Amino acid sequence: MRAAIEPDPERPVTPAARLLETCFLTIYSGTCRLYRPLRHVIGALVLTVFALMVAAVVQIYPVSNWDMVAYTASVLESDISDPIELHDRSYALLKENVSEGEFQALTGDREYRIRQFEDPDAFATMLGFYRLKLGYVETARALSAFMDPVKSLRMISMLSAVAVAGVLLVWLARHGALMYGPIVVAMLIIADFGGSAALLSPDLYASIFLLLAGFLYIERQDLAAAASLIAALFIRPDHLAFIGVFFVFALIYGPGRWVMTATFVLSALAYAFVLKGESHPGWWIHLWFTHVEYVPTLEGFDPPMSPVIYLQMLVRSTVRSLMSNTWLAALLALVIFFAKVIKPAQMADRARILLYAIFTSICAKYLVFPHYETRFYFPYLIAMGTILLIAWHQQDKTASRSNPA
């Protein structure tokens, strides 16, 4: 047991303070002795319970956003070709699955939502933003055989929360690091895991496959990692940025270079196919729509490219990231941890390659499309954190063996 505090000659320790310190250290030491043999079980349990709690909250207290209407329509349009019928059915399903107050907010609280609710043709022009998430839409469509599309979208969010935790548990267990479960939970909270799970969006679903790809690549399962990356691409095509950066780093450093090269080529072809086949309005219109204004219809909308407006988007997005989101702070903390704690030369080659590729891809993605919401960076932040946590764990074990107490 650690000794009690030594008295300071300039500030004598009272008997009450000494007793309090002794009691605290006794309790602390006893807790550590009980915790140590069970630390892996406790760490796994904390992470599992947290993920199940988030999944339960997603189902019990679902969050409603306007995108759920568009995703619902994307699921339905394989069976409904008439724009008016598709519009009416999508909003009818929305009304069945949200409260009256939420329905009013999603259909009447601003000009854009009012126009989408009242104008089926304007609504139809928006679906190009959503139907290109083929993997997400097709999964919801498959689940719609058993439940309505809105419930299927919520089911995907719930199962994605559990699956993300499952991948992280396997990753930690593989490296004997399950005791860090509480730290991973803290990382998940900072990276807005709960918010990503609550929204009906493909972000967390794609995160499963991105995290799985990272784990499989480190485990030298290159073909399985490639398949996971392609799955993530079909769920959210903008992950092509990461696949491209990852391929470059693999090509330079060596491990997995040919598989990742083939993965990038296939992904680029798939990306071009998806964007052409699913009527996406294009990069600049999407950027304008996200950062300048929600135009009520994309029919005939074609704003000229402007470097000045693009710079304004970057500044505005950065301010919003700093004021109301956590991803920049989390990224900075991870970079500082790497610089101050980790010895890169002692990291496994594949872990180091993956870490560098993730960091570079975050910067590249932000320059290409400056998203300000943390959910867009969730899988990258969690993968970086997990890599660094395991590297720290391995280096600490090596140091302990080299310098036994």
Side-chain angles (χ1 to χ4, degrees), residues 73 261 322 362:
T261 299
L322 292 169
I362 291 175

Side-chain angles (χ1 to χ4, degrees), residues 244-275:
V245 172
F246 188 24
F247 134 73
V248 171
F249 276 88
L251 189 64
I252 292 171
Y253 282 90
R257 61 159 58 104
W258 301 122
V259 174
M260 292 307 142
T261 299
T263 302
F264 173 68
V265 171
L266 290 174
S267 298
L269 293 172
Y271 182 85
F273 168 77
V274 169
L275 260 66

Side-chain angles (χ1 to χ4, degrees), residues 68-69 72-77 79-97 103 117 120 123 144 147-150:
M68 63 193 292
V69 191
T72 299
S74 299
V75 172
L76 292 172
E77 64 180 348
D79 299 321
I80 302 174
S81 57
D82 180 64
I84 297 176
E85 184 183 354
L86 179 64
H87 171 275
D88 292 348
R89 179 59 181 154
S90 300
Y91 275 97
L93 284 168
L94 173 69
K95 191 169 186 177
E96 291 174 11
N97 284 279
F103 184 77
F117 181 54
F123 177 73
S144 295
M147 60 194 78
D148 74 50
V150 175

Side-chain angles (χ1 to χ4, degrees), residues 9-324:
E10 296 183 2
R11 188 180 60 188
V13 178
T14 64
R18 187 178 294 278
L19 176 63
L20 182 64
E21 184 75 10
T22 301
C23 290
F24 170 78
L25 290 176
T26 301
I27 294 170
Y28 174 78
S29 299
T31 303
C32 286
R33 284 195 296 271
L34 292 172
Y35 166 78
R36 186 166 182 78
L38 298 172
R39 61 191 184 281
H40 294 290
V41 175
I42 293 172
L45 188 62
V46 169
L47 179 53
T48 300
V49 170
F50 176 72
L52 292 175
M53 180 196 72
V54 170
V57 170
V58 168
Q59 287 297 104
I60 299 170
Y61 303 106
V63 173
S64 301
N65 59 340
W66 187 86
D67 286 353
M68 63 193 292
V69 191
Y71 281 123
T72 299
S74 299
V75 172
L76 292 172
E77 64 180 348
S78 62
D79 299 321
I80 302 174
S81 57
D82 180 64
I84 297 176
E85 184 183 354
L86 179 64
H87 171 275
D88 292 348
R89 179 59 181 154
S90 300
Y91 275 97
L93 284 168
L94 173 69
K95 191 169 186 177
E96 291 174 11
N97 284 279
V98 301
S99 67
E100 184 176 344
E102 288 174 318
F103 184 77
Q104 290 296 325
L106 293 172
T107 58
D109 78 331
R110 65 191 69 171
E111 182 181 350
Y112 174 79
R113 292 178 177 178
I114 294 171
R115 177 68 180 273
Q116 302 311 308
F117 181 54
E118 295 178 348
D119 187 348
D121 292 329
F123 177 73
T125 67
M126 300 296 162
L127 298 186
F129 289 133
Y130 300 89
R131 61 166 68 99
L132 82 164
K133 280 89 170 192
L134 284 176
Y136 184 59
V137 171
E138 290 299 329
T139 302
R141 191 170 287 157
L143 289 174
S144 295
F146 310 98
M147 60 194 78
D148 74 50
V150 175
K151 289 183 175 64
S152 69
L153 294 170
R154 285 180 177 154
M155 181 63 68
I156 292 172
S157 294
M158 183 189 72
L159 296 177
S160 295
V162 176
V164 163
V167 173
L168 293 174
L169 282 168
V170 173
W171 199 338
L172 293 173
R174 178 67 179 83
H175 296 276
L178 279 172
M179 77 282 265
Y180 297 121
I183 297 177
V184 174
V185 168
M187 292 194 308
L188 289 171
I189 293 170
I190 294 170
D192 196 29
F193 177 61
S196 298
L199 283 178
L200 297 189
S201 76
D203 302 296
L204 201 61
Y205 188 30
S207 297
I208 301 169
F209 297 98
L210 287 170
L211 291 169
L212 185 60
F215 169 69
L216 291 169
Y217 175 75
I218 289 175
E219 292 297 310
R220 302 175 181 272
Q221 303 295 320
D222 292 340
L223 291 176
S228 296
L229 287 173
I230 292 172
L233 174 86
F234 275 102
I235 295 168
R236 273 204 73 99
D238 58 351
H239 289 307
L240 178 67
F242 169 67
I243 297 173
V245 172
F246 188 24
F247 134 73
V248 171
F249 276 88
L251 189 64
I252 292 171
Y253 282 90
R257 61 159 58 104
W258 301 122
V259 174
M260 292 307 142
T261 299
T263 302
F264 173 68
V265 171
L266 290 174
S267 298
L269 293 172
Y271 182 85
F273 168 77
V274 169
L275 260 66
K276 182 179 180 180
E278 300 302 330
S279 308
H280 188 269
W283 168 75
W284 180 246
I285 291 178
H286 197 167
L287 202 61
W288 184 288
F289 188 84
T290 302
H291 292 286
V292 178
E293 64 174 326
Y294 283 171
V295 293
T297 179
L298 297 181
E299 185 68 34
F301 181 68
D302 188 19
M305 172 64 188
S306 169
V308 174
I309 293 177
Y310 171 72
L311 289 174
Q312 290 175 347
M313 293 176 186
L314 279 174
V315 172
R316 187 182 299 116
S317 184
T318 302
V319 170
R320 297 183 74 173
S321 296
L322 292 169
M323 294 298 294
S324 58

